[in-house]
Structures are given as structure tokens and as C-alpha cells.
Amino acid sequence: MKEKLLKKFAELFENSEGAGFFFSPGRVNLIGEHTDYNGGHVFPCALTIGTYGVARKRADRKVHFYSMNLDHFGVVEASLDNLVNQESYGWANYPLGVVWAFAEKGHSLDVGFDMIIWGNIPNGSGLSSSASLEVLTGVILRDLYGIQDVSMTDIALYGQYSENNFNGCNCGIMDQFAVAMGKKDHAIFLDTSTLKYEYAPVKLKDAKIVITNSKVKHSLVDSAYNDRRRECTDALAALKTVADIETLGDLTVEEFEKHKHVLTDPVLEKRAKHAVAENQRTIEAVAALKRDDITRFGELMNQSHVSLRDDYEVSCKEVDILTELAWKTPGVIGSRITGGGFGGCTVSIVKNDAVESFIEAIGAAYKEQVGHEAEFYTVDIGDGARKID
Ligand code: GLA
């Protein structure tokens, strides 16, 4: 990949002398969905698929972005003197937003840069292609400009800040954190209220992680996501009148049951119920994994899906078909929707010797019921974003 990117870079920007080569992964969340903006726990891991980038400083104040996945965009040009989101920039609003976030946080750039990328994360699939690109940009900026006092956690936070304030999606910290802090063969047990985290080895013995892409993306993704956030904020405000809490993640299921009468709107009650229960499930799932109880881990994944489907209402017909099919398939330990929802992917844990039949059987049944093919990826857990020499 490096050769291909360097060649294109040289073609576009005269030569590739002194240009650096970088990689930033995608992520899959094993459990702990829609808990990250509720002060709860998440359990994602970085993948070995992701976004590659080549970049070099310029002498003037221009910034140039080029994507080898979206050649038709050509080179997008912006200026450090006018860091604003513009529709015509398309995908380049993501890296530009990170430049803006660095400036907002006190790291203004003196000169611009040229950057080209290529990635193999399917877009809009819930595997965090945007967080991957944001964190890639952060790692590039830190390296090119020698910004010493920015940690990988800061890069994740700047990525989230740019997505919230430059690109208009009110996402939590999970995706950027997983992409920045990933570790090979480990998932990250992150407490989003403190950003304290722990790496847990993902030892699935005789099983694998299989991601199934429904290949649907319902258009309401960003607006419905922001609606869910608002509903949780409203539920929290009501619960605070009877419980001494900072976030929904502070409540146990029992405490929630005791106090839920203050939620007079049944929709708010369902949303908060999910946020509370999902956080508890995540804590329990990590404990189960640590004691090698993969069966329990799988059961909790299945429960997570039901809760996201019925209480949080972020699934959709196609993804429900995938999980129902998976639950009925021999050798499947657990299966659930992963990521923001309204389409995208499921994550399943499947016994090694059943992976082939899983792909075949679910592939055929899905095509028959939905009318188009699903895509399957058996994935490996990789390291976080970095410069590659
Ligand atoms: C998206 C957001 C994350 C998180 C998930 C749901 O991926 O970017 O912050 O909220 O949805 O768990």
C-alpha cells in the first residue's frame, strides 16, 4: 500500500521526498452500545482494516486532501486562514475539522500540508471510517509539526470535538478512543465517565469474530442519533430529581427500577432502561470474558441486541433479519448490531468450524429475504493509529 500511496503522492505533489506514512484502524464494538454519551462502559477493539495516509508539510498556508477511494473528488484545497466546513469539500471536512480542532485547542499550524489517503473500511457500515480518518489526521499533525504535548487520548478527544462541532454529529468518545488506543488481540474496557481503561485479551479459544454488513444505511442516522442523545439527557434530568447521580451510567438496574416512576414519558423510560442495562451488561460481559466464559459473553451480546432493537429502537428490519438468522445458526455464540445503528453491521462470535457454513447459510437466506447480498468479514484485532516507518 505504501508504494501505491507514495506514487500517487508524487504524481499530485511533484515528488514524495520526506513524506510520512501512517495508518489508523477501524473499530468494532463487542458490547456497550449507546452507553458512551451516558457515562457508561464500552468494549470496542481496533481492527486490522483501516485508513492509510501519506502526508508532508508545505511552505504556504494551503492544505490539500486527496482520497484514492474517491478519485472523482480530485484534490480538495482549503486554507489555514479559513477553517470552515464547506459542502464542496465533501469527505475532506473530516480531516479539515481535525485541523480546526487542533487550532481551537491551542495548536494552530504555521504552514499547511498535503495529505492523501486510501482506506478499506466499508463506508457507512458502523465500523468507524470517519473516526479512523479523524485520528489518522491527528497522528499526522502531531508527527509533522512535532506537537509533543498531545497524547493519543487528546487526539481521540480532538477527533470527537471536531466531529461534534465541525461535522455536526454529536457522537460520544468510543470510536475515536478505540481507533487511537487499540491494541492487538485486546479489546478496550473503557469507562467513558473517567476515560479510565483496561485492555482485556480477547481469547475466543475455538471461535472467531465475524462482522456481517447488511449493506443498508438508513438516512436518518445522524438526526436519529442526536435525538437519542437528547432523550437520554431529558431522562437523566428527571432521574436526577430523585437520585444522586451524574450520568445514567451511575445507576444499577435495581436503582433504575426504583426511580423510573419519574419518567412519565414511556419513550424516555425505554431509552434510559437501555442505557442503564447495557452498561451493566458490559461490565458483566467483560468479567465473563476474563473467566473464559464465552457462552455467557454471547448471551449478553444477544440481550444487547434485543435491548437496542426494542428499547433503544436503533436497529432496522435488515439487521434484525441478520441477527435472527445468526441466533438460529449452529456454532454461533452471540450476535448483535454494532455501532450507531439504523443499518450497518452485526458482530457475531462464531465457532471456527462453523464460520464457513455461517457465511453460506446466512448469505443465502439474507439475499432471499432482503433482495441483496450481505458482506462478511472475519476480522483480526489490531493496534491503534500510528506512523509506519
Ligand atoms: C456511534 C458513535 C459512538 C457511539 C456509538 C453507539 O458509533 O460515534 O460514539 O455512541 O455510535 O454505541
Side-chain angles (χ1 to χ4, degrees), residues 56-75:
R56 182 177 65 193
K57 271 198 273 210
R58 297 176 56 88
D60 57 19
R61 303 232 344 130
K62 287 180 182 151
V63 281
H64 288 142
F65 302 107
Y66 183 86
S67 165
M68 287 178 72
N69 297 96
L70 300 166
D71 306 87
H72 61 275
F73 257 97
V75 175

Side-chain angles (χ1 to χ4, degrees), residues 208-213 322 325-326 329-332 346 348-368 372-379:
K208 278 194 172 52
I209 300 173
V210 182
I211 294 174
T212 308
N213 189 349
L322 285 178
L325 287 168
T329 302
V332 174
T346 63
S348 310
I349 297 184
V350 186
K351 288 253 165 80
N352 289 337
D353 56 11
V355 170
E356 215 172 290
S357 52
F358 172 93
I359 295 175
E360 238 168 67
I362 295 184
Y366 184 76
K367 171 115 201 268
E368 197 189 303
H372 67 255
E373 313 246 353
E375 260 173 28
F376 297 86
Y377 328 101
T378 49
V379 296

Side-chain angles (χ1 to χ4, degrees), residues 177-192:
F177 198 92
V179 165
M181 305 296 288
K183 181 170 166 177
K184 188 175 167 18
D185 297 330
H186 290 72
I188 309 171
F189 183 41
L190 171 70
D191 178 346
T192 61

Side-chain angles (χ1 to χ4, degrees), residues 81-354:
D81 300 316
N82 187 26
L83 295 174
V84 286
N85 181 306
Q86 290 196 23
E87 209 183 320
S88 62
Y89 293 162
W91 70 274
N93 281 307
Y94 286 96
L96 193 67
V98 176
V99 176
W100 170 83
F102 267 65
E104 289 286 302
K105 301 289 177 186
H107 304 286
S108 296
L109 308 182
D110 50 350
V111 291
F113 62 96
D114 298 321
M115 166 174 169
I116 79 168
I117 63 154
W118 177 84
N120 53 3
I121 307 170
N123 280 342
S125 59
L127 301 178
S128 287
S129 54
S130 43
S132 174
L133 178 54
E134 287 156 6
V135 172
L136 177 76
T137 310
V139 171
I140 286 176
L141 296 184
R142 183 172 74 167
D143 182 81
L144 291 189
Y145 298 85
I147 307 170
Q148 308 289 350
D149 54 342
V150 169
S151 67
M152 286 308 284
T153 303
D154 293 332
I155 288 179
L157 287 164
Y158 295 179
Q160 182 200 16
Y161 187 79
S162 73
E163 184 142 350
N164 291 171
N165 301 295
F166 196 87
N167 280 303
C169 180
N170 229 344
C171 66
I173 189 60
M174 170 171 72
D175 302 349
Q176 290 81 4
F177 198 92
V179 165
M181 305 296 288
K183 181 170 166 177
K184 188 175 167 18
D185 297 330
H186 290 72
I188 309 171
F189 183 41
L190 171 70
D191 178 346
T192 61
S193 66
T194 58
L195 293 191
K196 285 208 180 111
Y197 64 97
E198 186 192 321
Y199 290 114
V202 180
K203 291 179 294 188
L204 299 175
K205 289 187 281 186
D206 54 350
K208 278 194 172 52
I209 300 173
V210 182
I211 294 174
T212 308
N213 189 349
S214 68
K215 305 214 74 172
V216 294
K217 186 186 179 193
H218 294 286
S219 56
L220 67 173
V221 182
D222 282 0
S223 63
Y225 184 92
N226 291 343
D227 290 345
R228 293 296 178 280
R229 276 203 80 143
R230 216 171 312 114
E231 289 159 356
C232 287
T233 308
D234 292 350
L236 176 64
L239 286 160
K240 272 182 156 181
T241 61
V242 286
D244 182 19
I245 52 168
E246 293 299 321
T247 68
L248 293 177
D250 291 335
L251 288 173
T252 61
V253 172
E254 294 72 31
E255 286 161 347
F256 174 72
E257 288 300 319
K258 192 170 124 205
H259 297 307
K260 70 178 188 194
H261 62 91
V262 293
L263 300 172
T264 45
D265 178 346
V267 171
L268 294 196
E269 184 185 326
K270 288 206 285 184
R271 305 300 190 246
K273 180 180 164 209
H274 167 79
V276 171
E278 180 76 357
N279 180 42
Q280 298 299 320
R281 265 193 294 274
T282 306
I283 297 168
E284 195 195 332
V286 175
L289 188 67
K290 281 186 182 165
R291 58 170 196 272
D292 265 345
D293 189 349
I294 313 293
T295 308
R296 181 66 190 146
F297 191 87
E299 283 165 10
L300 291 161
M301 286 176 79
N302 297 347
Q303 287 174 19
S304 164
H305 183 79
V306 171
S307 175
L308 288 157
R309 182 191 68 195
D310 299 345
D311 288 333
Y312 218 64
E313 295 179 277
V314 289
S315 190
C316 61
K317 189 183 89 216
E318 296 85 351
V319 171
D320 288 339
I321 289 175
L322 285 178
T323 45
E324 306 261 332
L325 287 168
W327 294 338
K328 279 191 237 145
T329 302
V332 174
I333 295 164
S335 186
R336 56 180 285 276
I337 188 171
T338 184
F342 306 103
C345 292
T346 63
V347 57
S348 310
I349 297 184
V350 186
K351 288 253 165 80
N352 289 337
D353 56 11

Side-chain angles (χ1 to χ4, degrees), residues 35-46:
T35 48
D36 66 344
Y37 49 86
N38 285 311
H41 292 78
V42 293
F43 196 49
C45 44

